[in-house]
Amino acid sequence: MQNIDTYDFKGKKAIVRVDFNVPLNDKFEITDDTRIRAAIPTLKKILAGGGSVIIMTHLGRPDGVSEKYSLKHITARVSQLLGADVKFAPDCMEASAYASELKPGEALMLENLRFYAEEEGKPRGLAADASEQDKKAAKAEIKEKQKAFVKKLASYADCYVNDAFGTAHRAHASTALIAEYFPNDKMFGYVMEKELAAIDKVLKNPVKPTTAIIGGSKVSSKISIIENLFDTVDNMIIGGGMVFTFMKAKGGRIGSSLCEDDQLELARQTMKKAQEKGVRIYLSDWVVAADKFANDANTRTCNAMDIPDGWMGLDTAEKSLAEWEEVLKNSKTVLWNGPVGVFEMPEFSKGTKYIAKILADITSEGAFTLVGGGDSVAAVTQMGFADRVSYVSTGGGAMLEALEGKELPGVKAIRG
Ligand code: AMP
């Protein structure tokens, strides 16, 4: 594995997997270019080093060639942000001539990789009632075709850079398989490096004490993260909708709050495991309860173990937030995944905002704070705290899998 800062790009063509899966409006205008901006330093570094770049990405979930998901809609914006002309190859499998003409300092964008089923390696167009045998045959066929697809992409370049953290949890042609064609010329881009460094700071060598805040709606979707983190953290704060499954498991009365009844036993076991591993659990004992799931509901502060019938806990109340604040102020490393209330409704966003503010404060006092995965990222961004925490992850699913302790195929393909 090579390092982007020390690799000699002079005269080399670099094929770079980025995540330019940006949202477009119905006029095909980009409504949020954050992902493009994120990868610009990597692309600029290669160009400044005397190399040329072949940019590859997916956009949306096309089921074959589609005008709607064409990357031609975003090429001008990439050119503008990169400060260099970006040529466009309208078929990622017919780009040899474009690639061979590239000169140092020039950039080329390949058309959407997912116009080909080979990118993901999953058969398309199978009848819903296809037999197991047909499914198996289609899978084998696409895997075979995928080999030629990977080989073709690799033939365009001298080195491979993966800067698409958002798809690092997928073993796709461009995110993982292509790396084998560049055994001595493969590396991470800056986005990947930063994401992996942030994860390592939490999971591998955290400065203690370490606290995780886990919120969101469902225990079932977070349980693997919670259990994996038991090996690293000293404290675990659990809030949001998932807390009520824990409260009910402890014998509490939770009114009509969110609850996964099939997870009660698991919640009990999880609390027991925490105790065995010496992790202190802080549940949101005090919540803001509402008489309906609406911003204009009537509200009252309740003990989360004693919520009246017909009322539901929708936010974390001051009393618990104050307790958590003490824990967080004494922490040197903090991971936050999942809002601690229904932050989409202003009335129930206060707890989540409070947490964002505490994280900003402790960051300014030297703590390392990572916000990763899904809605907590949306929350800190929307609330204006994204620049005031140490790191906000760009990769939803990839970050969640990393926090679950899973090896990401896109990372393994480079690191070995
Ligand atoms: P997740 O995708 O699992 O991180 O869940 C995020 C969702 O959890 C957001 O849409 C929140 O509105 C929701 N959420 C947070 N707290 C609660 C709560 N107390 N009751 C219901 N939903 C909640």
Side-chain angles (χ1 to χ4, degrees), residues 132-146:
E132 280 310 310
Q133 204 179 357
D134 284 351
K135 282 188 199 161
K136 227 171 138 187
K139 215 169 163 186
E141 191 190 349
I142 192 73
K143 288 285 172 204
E144 203 48 46
K145 282 186 174 169
Q146 192 180 43

Side-chain angles (χ1 to χ4, degrees), residues 216-218 221-222 240-241 244 258 313-314 338-344 375:
S217 53
K218 290 188 169 173
S221 65
K222 300 282 166 85
F244 302 104
L258 206 65
L314 295 186
V340 297
V342 183
F343 77 101
E344 298 92 337
D375 277 343

Side-chain angles (χ1 to χ4, degrees), residues 15-22 35-36 54-60 62 69-71 74 78 88 92 108-115 119 149 153 164 167 174-175:
I15 191 156
V16 189
R17 178 49 156 110
V18 291
D19 179 6
F20 286 175
N21 184 24
V22 289
R35 287 178 170 169
I36 301 179
I54 300 160
I55 304 165
M56 57 175 175
T57 180
H58 74 284
L59 176 67
Y69 296 114
S70 173
L71 288 167
I74 74 164
V78 178
F88 181 64
C92 68
L108 169 71
M109 169 104 84
L110 302 183
E111 179 58 290
N112 198 338
L113 298 166
R114 289 198 191 165
F115 282 1
E119 163 63 358
F149 181 82
L153 289 176
T167 48
S174 66
T175 60

Side-chain angles (χ1 to χ4, degrees), residues 115-299:
F115 282 1
Y116 286 84
E118 286 89 334
E119 163 63 358
E120 293 177 274
K122 279 192 226 137
R124 284 182 183 157
L126 260 178
D129 59 353
S131 68
E132 280 310 310
Q133 204 179 357
D134 284 351
K135 282 188 199 161
K136 227 171 138 187
K139 215 169 163 186
E141 191 190 349
I142 192 73
K143 288 285 172 204
E144 203 48 46
K145 282 186 174 169
Q146 192 180 43
K147 289 181 192 159
F149 181 82
V150 175
K151 193 171 174 189
K152 185 77 181 184
L153 289 176
S155 73
Y156 301 150
D158 305 301
C159 59
Y160 169 61
V161 181
N162 189 350
D163 209 21
F165 182 73
T167 48
H169 57 316
R170 307 279 182 224
H172 293 167
S174 66
T175 60
L177 307 183
I178 191 173
E180 77 170 278
Y181 283 90
F182 304 96
N184 302 313
D185 300 276
K186 56 182 179 179
M187 68 209 87
F188 296 127
Y190 292 122
V191 174
M192 278 286 248
E193 279 190 352
K194 275 194 271 179
E195 293 275 351
L196 297 174
I199 292 167
D200 283 355
K201 274 191 172 178
V202 173
L203 293 186
K204 287 207 178 138
N205 37 31
V207 181
K208 298 262 176 180
T210 307
T211 301
I213 310 161
I214 307 292
S217 53
K218 290 188 169 173
V219 181
S220 51
S221 65
K222 300 282 166 85
I223 200 74
S224 317
I225 297 180
I226 292 177
E227 298 205 344
N228 186 46
L229 289 172
F230 281 166
D231 291 329
T232 327
V233 301
D234 302 296
N235 311 300
M236 181 162 303
I237 290 172
I238 299 181
M242 73 164 74
V243 84
F244 302 104
T245 303
F246 286 92
M247 291 300 178
K248 191 165 176 185
K250 288 201 323 176
R253 186 174 156 232
I254 60 166
S256 42
S257 305
L258 206 65
C259 182
E260 288 173 280
D261 282 320
D262 57 345
Q263 304 289 318
L264 292 173
E265 185 47 37
L266 193 67
R268 269 181 222 114
Q269 283 169 18
T270 304
M271 285 187 282
K272 202 166 148 232
K273 262 188 213 159
Q275 213 173 15
E276 285 161 12
K277 299 221 171 192
V279 176
R280 266 201 86 170
I281 298 265
Y282 295 84
L283 300 177
S284 51
D285 292 324
W286 294 93
V287 295
V288 178
D291 61 354
K292 59 178 176 178
F293 190 78
N295 194 49
D296 64 352
N298 294 308
T299 60

Side-chain angles (χ1 to χ4, degrees), residues 78-99:
V78 178
S79 284
Q80 191 189 22
L81 291 170
L82 188 57
D85 184 37
V86 177
K87 296 182 181 65
F88 181 64
D91 182 339
C92 68
M93 282 293 98
E94 300 289 340
S96 301
Y98 292 90

